[in-house]
Amino acid sequence: MGSPGYVPLILALSASCFRAAAQLPLVINTWPFKDATQRAWDTLHSGGLALDAVEKGCSQCEFEQCDGTVGYGGSPDEHGETTLDAMIMNGNTIEVGAVGNLRRIKSAISVARAVMEHSSHSLLVGESASIFAQNMGFLSEDLTSNTSLSIHAEWLSKKCQPNYWKNVFPSAKTSCGPYKRKEGQWSKRHRMPAHVVDVHNHDTIGMIVIDKSRSIVAGTSTNGATHKIPGRVGDSPIVGAGAYADSTAGAAAATGMGDIMMRFLPSYQAVEYMRLGMEPTTACQKVIARIQKYYPKFFGAIICANRTGGYGAACSKCPGFNQFHFMVHNPSGTSEQIVDCI
Ligand SMILES: *[C@@H]1O[C@H](CO)[C@@H](O)[C@H](O)[C@H]1NC(C)=O
Ligand SMILES: *[C@@H]1O[C@H](CO)[C@@H](O)[C@H](O)[C@H]1NC(C)=O
């Protein structure tokens, strides 16, 4: 029956459906890393598969050093060295290739793909991963830049502040290391220096591509947390944490405080929510809410895409971070999209 409220309701529904209309193919990535989005889209357009599109898209960021937080020459560790973490996951076969703490090789996501395609392993780390990469034909070169040198020099001049140590002697709040374990009474409370990984330190590209054949691939690439303790590997190369893809359900990719987020396997969880029929936006929000129960002030965001090309995102509100920007490209065009944090 034509009640007065009926027509406006339909209009409102179709408006929201139009906004997140499910269309394929789809490229979606964290942060306004536009060139990466375009490169992935162009790769699909010229006949590439989802796997190629994710590799090329993330490679673009590694090459451009997106915000200094992806690729060489950014986020030096305590020794001043830049090391890289990356992953790629094939949602058709549930194969994964990843590298953690990769040294002296610029193209981390391509090395991750080589781990997937030229070994039966899923994750290689550190110096040995670099040797693997060299054997696979990747060039070994210094990842240091003038920027990473100056970030490290400034950190040293500020008595190594901020840093990621706790319960050590001498106090990590006032001194550089080397540190020793502090015996006796100490606080068990979590200490995460908010200004180490924050909104100005975007930290990761996470990308999901669904191609015309409905193959879903997800990938990540990052140079990790600035001033990290050497050996630290974040969430990005950890399957289910940094990203996850299953062509029968969908994919997700996370960004933010990896040390916290990886404890919740947020990308895996989001995909499982979508498998149960949840809308991508709701799946993303539920994952963020779960982490907030334990870490109410954590900085992080996640993108979600279901198998028919519906997508969404969510982020955790914290000081200086109220909105999360991400990129979408589908047959309707390319756009930078914004979501309000919860
Ligand atoms: C770093 O700075 C030095 C001195 O200013 C300059 O000569 C050199 O070309 C710079 N290196 C890079 C990689 O930009
Ligand atoms: C995917 O998400 C879109 C947009 O939210 C929705 O319309 C569509 O029904 C979802 N597809 C599946 C298979 O759940």
Side-chain angles (χ1 to χ4, degrees), residues 144-147 149:
T144 308
S145 68
N146 283 347
T147 306
L149 283 176

Side-chain angles (χ1 to χ4, degrees), residues 62 84-86 99 102 105-113 221-222:
E62 290 169 350
L84 308 179
D85 294 346
V99 285
L102 180 71
I105 311 282
K106 283 184 177 172
S107 31
I109 188 131
S110 298
V111 180
R113 184 169 177 177
S221 184
T222 180

Side-chain angles (χ1 to χ4, degrees), residues 10-27:
I10 294 295
L11 285 176
L13 276 175
S14 55
S16 71
C17 289
F18 178 75
R19 189 168 47 84
Q23 291 184 73
L24 295 176
L26 172 73
V27 175

Side-chain angles (χ1 to χ4, degrees), residues 40-325:
W41 185 260
D42 291 346
T43 303
L44 288 179
H45 201 72
S46 57
L49 304 173
L51 211 49
D52 305 314
V54 168
E55 183 190 358
K56 297 292 180 206
C58 292
S59 295
Q60 183 68 28
C61 245
E62 290 169 350
F63 168 75
E64 282 182 9
Q65 306 166 285
C66 284
D67 278 352
T69 58
V70 182
Y72 70 100
S75 307
D77 67 13
E78 288 195 336
H79 295 160
E81 182 177 0
T82 296
T83 62
L84 308 179
D85 294 346
M87 166 182 50
I88 193 161
M89 178 163 190
N90 180 337
N92 288 347
T93 58
I94 315 297
E95 287 174 299
V96 175
V99 285
N101 206 21
L102 180 71
R103 311 178 68 195
R104 299 189 313 275
I105 311 282
K106 283 184 177 172
S107 31
I109 188 131
S110 298
V111 180
R113 184 169 177 177
V115 170
M116 181 169 78
E117 294 183 339
H118 301 287
S119 85
S120 312
H121 296 310
S122 295
L123 170 62
L124 294 182
V125 302
E127 189 61 30
S128 307
S130 310
I131 294 167
F132 168 86
Q134 276 173 263
N135 290 338
M136 289 291 111
F138 292 91
L139 182 66
S140 173
E141 55 193 320
D142 191 353
L143 301 189
T144 308
S145 68
N146 283 347
T147 306
S148 66
L149 283 176
S150 74
I151 293 170
H152 185 242
E154 194 187 338
W155 180 76
L156 287 176
S157 77
K158 287 185 180 161
K159 298 191 172 158
C160 308
Q161 303 303 311
N163 61 64
Y164 289 92
W165 294 84
K166 63 182 184 184
N167 307 318
V168 291
F169 181 83
S171 168
K173 288 177 189 157
T174 50
S175 308
C176 290
Y179 306 106
K180 288 197 162 89
R181 299 159 65 100
K182 191 170 153 191
E183 303 298 345
Q185 292 285 314
W186 39 260
S187 163
K188 287 200 173 69
R189 279 202 55 210
H190 181 81
R191 195 175 84 86
M192 177 65 69
H195 44 311
V196 174
V197 178
D198 68 14
V199 293
H200 307 295
N201 182 354
H202 287 163
D203 80 63
T204 301
I205 182 166
M207 179 178 276
I208 300 164
V209 173
I210 312 180
D211 64 24
K212 273 190 292 195
S213 70
R214 297 179 175 256
S215 300
I216 309 185
V217 174
T220 60
S221 184
T222 180
N223 52 29
T226 309
H227 314 310
K228 64 192 171 191
I229 298 172
R232 182 263 191 186
V233 173
D235 60 330
S236 300
I238 306 301
V239 62
Y244 198 75
D246 179 336
S247 300
T248 66
T255 178
M257 288 177 167
D259 293 299
I260 290 176
M261 295 178 81
M262 69 195 293
R263 299 168 191 174
F264 297 83
L265 295 180
S267 296
Y268 175 77
Q269 188 61 51
V271 170
E272 291 311 305
Y273 282 143
M274 289 186 283
R275 192 193 301 282
L276 296 173
M278 224 172 265
E279 293 281 316
T281 303
T282 314
C284 273
Q285 287 173 344
K286 278 189 69 107
V287 163
I288 294 292
R290 277 174 79 140
I291 304 175
Q292 284 173 330
K293 277 187 205 155
Y294 293 87
Y295 299 99
K297 297 242 166 76
F298 91 100
F299 160 65
I302 185 163
I303 54 173
C304 298
N306 70 16
R307 65 190 169 82
T308 54
Y311 61 85
C315 51
S316 173
K317 198 176 201 166
C318 63
F321 186 56
N322 299 314
Q323 289 185 322
F324 168 61
H325 294 238

Side-chain angles (χ1 to χ4, degrees), residues 26-47:
L26 172 73
V27 175
I28 175 171
N29 63 263
T30 56
W31 307 113
F33 298 148
K34 297 183 170 66
D35 295 348
T37 320
Q38 192 60 46
R39 181 92 190 272
W41 185 260
D42 291 346
T43 303
L44 288 179
H45 201 72
S46 57

